[in-house]
Amino acid sequence: MLAQAEALAEDAAQYAAQHGVSGDEALRRMEAQQQSVTATDAIAQEFSSRLAGISIDHGPQYRILVLLKGNEPVADRIAAGVPIVFRTGAR
């Protein structure tokens, strides 16, 4: 059985090939994604009445996109070094 670090390195190699980034960048993104789960869970709760979706944008800049119903703007945030961008106007 692979140790957690070895499994993450293997996943990062696959991610790097799929998204055209270096192995180091792929590993950074995967670790950031794991660390940002708490933040995205909190966002889902905070905006539960307006939430239309949460997704990850893999390029060109790695970021989390949050789509909200309504037009009331929300300031962008950063979690675990990952930009979280809010977009409004979902139906």
Side-chain angles (χ1 to χ4, degrees), residues 76-87:
D76 294 344
R77 304 175 183 178
I78 294 180
V82 178
I84 300 175
V85 178
F86 289 87
R87 296 209 172 124

Side-chain angles (χ1 to χ4, degrees), residues 3-12 15 26-41 56 58 62 64 79-82:
Q4 184 177 358
E6 291 172 319
L8 188 59
E10 186 176 296
D11 290 345
Y15 181 98
L27 186 59
R28 183 195 72 77
R29 289 180 179 193
M30 296 195 75
E31 289 173 340
Q33 183 175 350
Q34 288 178 343
Q35 295 167 4
S36 65
V37 168
T38 302
T40 55
D41 287 349
I56 295 178
H58 294 277
Y62 184 79
I64 297 169
V82 178

Side-chain angles (χ1 to χ4, degrees), residues 21 25 29 57-63:
V21 296
E25 176 62 12
R29 289 180 179 193
D57 183 6
H58 294 277
Q61 178 188 14
Y62 184 79
R63 60 190 180 166

